[in-house]
Amino acid sequence: MGTIKTFAVSACLLGHKVRYDGSDKLNADLLGILYGHNILSICPETLGGLSTPRDPAEIIGNKVMTKNGKDVTENYQKGARLAIENMKKYGVDAVILKSKSPACGLYQKYDGSFSGKLVEGNGITAQMLLDEGFKVFSDTELFAIEEYAHS
């Protein structure tokens, strides 16, 4: 194993029940890969003041809207800023985000129709992290994460 690294990881992937429906997306394979490294748990949505559970939200244009038509863009932006502040404070080497999320999705996001259709693009936090120059992985990139973790 190479140097011990610090990873910021979407809290739902670590088993925290913070998703919009009150569930988690525990990824045991990811935990195995990160064993021995430092982990900072992040959930930009809850950091931004959103409750669990909460109405599902998707990015529509340049706004984040709930299925019931509430604009939660400010919550998502605030949560992203706070997550990034914490990552800088703790010297995070890389970030692992939950795919398809309106906050954390990397490469793909839902199209805003709440129909399950995916389009190219990043969630609010994912995009801000990329703009800040962070190394960012999607939870779907286990091979790349493992390679990086052990380099």
Side-chain angles (χ1 to χ4, degrees), residues 38-52:
N38 299 314
I39 298 173
L40 173 66
S41 174
I42 57 156
C43 178
E45 295 173 17
T46 59
L47 278 172
L50 296 173
S51 64
T52 303

Side-chain angles (χ1 to χ4, degrees), residues 5-9 34 37-40 92-94 96 145 148-149:
K5 295 179 174 73
T6 300
F7 290 87
V9 181
L34 297 181
H37 292 285
N38 299 314
I39 298 173
L40 173 66
V92 165
D93 297 297
I96 302 166
I145 294 166
Y148 181 78

Side-chain angles (χ1 to χ4, degrees), residues 70-129:
K70 182 178 178 192
D71 184 345
V72 289
T73 307
E74 280 188 29
N75 298 92
Y76 277 74
Q77 291 171 337
K78 176 184 177 187
R81 285 191 304 271
L82 290 171
I84 289 169
E85 280 178 29
N86 283 331
M87 289 178 214
K88 288 179 178 177
K89 179 179 176 182
Y90 291 102
V92 165
D93 297 297
V95 185
I96 302 166
L97 300 174
K98 175 67 188 95
S99 62
K100 305 176 207 170
S101 155
C104 297
L106 186 64
Y107 314 125
Q108 287 186 317
K109 60 184 179 177
Y110 291 106
D111 72 350
S113 67
F114 295 92
S115 65
K117 184 176 180 216
L118 293 168
V119 294
E120 277 187 31
N122 298 317
I124 302 298
T125 302
Q127 189 59 56
M128 288 176 73
L129 286 164

